[in-house]
Amino acid sequence: MFPKLDPILHSELRLAVMSILAGVESAEFSYIKKQTGATSGNLSVQIDKLSAAGYISVEKGFKGKVPCTTCKITPAGLAAFENYVNSLKEYLI
Amino acid sequence: MENNFENKEMTAQESLGIITEMMNNSRRSILQNSAKHFILWGALLTVMSLLIYELIHVTHDPIWNMLWFAMPLIGFPMAHFIGKSKVALPQNIISKQLHGIWLAYCAFAVVISAVFMFIAPQNLTLVIILAFGFAECVSGITLKNWAIIVGGFILGIGGAIAAIILRSEAQLLLFTLCGVILMITGFIVKSQSK
C-alpha cells in the first residue's frame, strides 16, 4: 500500500517553491519567480496556500521604496517536505 | 528560465524531477555568485601585491606596505557592487560558510597585520600565508573539492616555509601566488556550478 502524498505539496508550482526554499535560508519573491518561471499572480496564490498550511512564513517589507516579499520554510514545512520525499521513494522503489 | 509550472497533478517521477531541478538550479545560481567573489578578491590581491612589490622595489621604502590596508577599502565596495543584481540571490549553507570563512580570515589578517607592524614586529608573511592556506583548505572542505583542499594545504605550508627563507621584498610575490590561487578557486567553483 503506497502512502498518500501530501496534497499541498503534490502540485508542480508549490513543490518547486518548497524545493527552492528547502535549500536556502530565505528567498525573495522575485528570486522564486525567476527560478520557477511562474507568473506573479499564480505564484502569489500558491505561496498563500503554502503559508496558510504553515509550511512557509511570508514577510512583507520594503527594499528602499520597492515592496519586497521574503519567504522562508518553517520547521513544519521542512518536516512535510522530508516526509513527501520519503513517500516518493516508496513509489519509485 | 524556460520552466513554467502549472498547478497540476504529477507522477512520482515528475515530482522527483522538479525537486532535483529546482534544487540544482538554485544551488548553481548561488555558487556562481560565490565564484565571482573569489575571482574579484583574487584579482585584487594579485594586482595589489604586484603594485606594492614594484613600489618597494623601485623606492626601497617598506612604507608602501601600508597600502595593504587599502585592500579591504577597495574590495568590499567592489564586492558589494558585483553582488548587486535585479533579483536578490539568497544564501545557502555553502555560500554562508564560504562568506564566514573569508570574512573571519580578513578580520584576522587586518588585526594581526596591525599588531605585527605597529606593536610587536614578527614574520607577518608567515602568519598571513599560513592562515590563508587554512582558509583555502576549509573552503575546499566546504565545497567538497580535493583540488582546493590540497592547493590550500600546499600553499599554507609551502608559503610559510618560503616566508622563512625569502627576503621581505620577495615575500610579496607569495601574495601574488595567493591571488592567483583565489582566482583559480573561483574558476573551479564556477565550473562546478555549471
Side-chain angles (χ1 to χ4, degrees):
Chain A
M1 175 83 179
F2 290 120
K4 195 174 181 302
L5 292 169
D6 185 338
I8 297 286
L9 294 181
H10 199 58
S11 143
E12 275 192 327
L13 187 49
R14 288 196 294 270
L15 184 60
V17 172
M18 289 295 281
S19 303
I20 293 167
L21 293 177
V24 299
E25 209 170 59
S26 62
E28 288 183 13
F29 183 88
S30 55
Y31 177 78
I32 301 170
K33 187 176 170 231
K34 191 186 172 203
Q35 291 293 319
T36 57
T39 61
S40 297
N42 193 12
L43 186 58
S44 290
V45 171
Q46 304 314 323
I47 281 178
D48 283 346
K49 283 186 183 175
L50 288 169
S51 175
Y55 288 179
I56 64 170
S57 61
V58 179
E59 204 175 288
K60 290 180 194 280
F62 283 90
K63 231 181 173 182
K65 288 179 180 174
V66 185
C68 173
T69 303
T70 307
C71 303
K72 187 177 181 173
I73 197 162
T74 62
L78 201 57
F81 186 71
E82 277 175 10
N83 204 22
Y84 180 83
V85 173
N86 287 333
S87 302
L88 275 185
K89 282 181 195 163
E90 291 188 37
Y91 275 88
L92 294 168
I93 293 169
Chain B
M1 177 104 199
E2 64 278 0
N3 289 323
N4 210 337
F5 295 112
E6 300 296 326
N7 189 24
K8 65 175 187 184
E9 289 290 315
M10 46 195 171
T11 64
Q13 202 86 41
E14 285 171 335
S15 295
L16 211 60
I18 287 173
I19 294 169
T20 311
E21 190 189 346
M22 283 297 107
M23 284 186 151
N24 282 342
N25 285 350
S26 187
R27 191 182 137 270
R28 271 189 222 117
S29 308
I30 296 165
L31 274 183
Q32 272 176 12
N33 189 48
S34 296
K36 280 198 285 187
H37 287 265
F38 271 110
I39 295 167
L40 167 76
W41 285 102
L44 188 59
L45 182 55
T46 305
V47 170
M48 287 294 283
S49 59
L50 287 174
L51 177 71
I52 295 169
Y53 173 80
E54 194 54 33
L55 287 167
I56 293 177
H57 188 70
V58 172
T59 63
H60 301 288
D61 190 349
I63 193 75
W64 292 110
N65 273 311
M66 298 297 278
L67 273 179
W68 283 117
F69 291 106
M71 203 174 136
L73 300 177
I74 301 167
F76 282 112
M78 280 174 85
H80 179 72
F81 180 74
I82 66 156
K84 263 191 170 179
S85 64
K86 268 186 179 175
V87 178
L89 284 171
Q91 290 256 38
N92 68 5
I93 191 153
I94 294 174
S95 67
K96 215 176 154 190
Q97 278 184 10
L98 289 175
H99 187 253
I101 291 164
W102 288 100
L103 204 61
Y105 169 75
C106 188
F108 270 91
V110 169
V111 173
I112 207 72
S113 298
V115 170
F116 280 16
M117 281 170 114
F118 305 117
I119 302 168
Q122 298 285 334
N123 190 336
L124 181 59
T125 306
L126 186 148
V127 178
I128 297 280
I129 216 149
L130 193 64
F132 184 95
F134 182 75
E136 179 75 4
C137 210
V138 177
S139 298
I141 294 167
T142 306
L143 291 160
K144 293 180 184 158
N145 187 300
W146 275 104
I148 299 173
I149 296 171
V150 174
F153 187 80
I154 292 172
L155 185 71
I157 302 297
I161 294 167
I164 298 166
I165 299 165
L166 294 171
R167 64 194 167 85
S168 60
E169 197 180 307
Q171 284 179 6
L172 284 166
L173 295 176
L174 290 172
F175 292 110
T176 310
L177 182 64
C178 289
V180 172
I181 295 279
L182 263 190
M183 282 195 282
I184 292 171
T185 305
F187 288 116
I188 291 173
V189 175
K190 203 171 178 184
S191 71
Q192 261 189 350
S193 63
K194 276 182 183 167

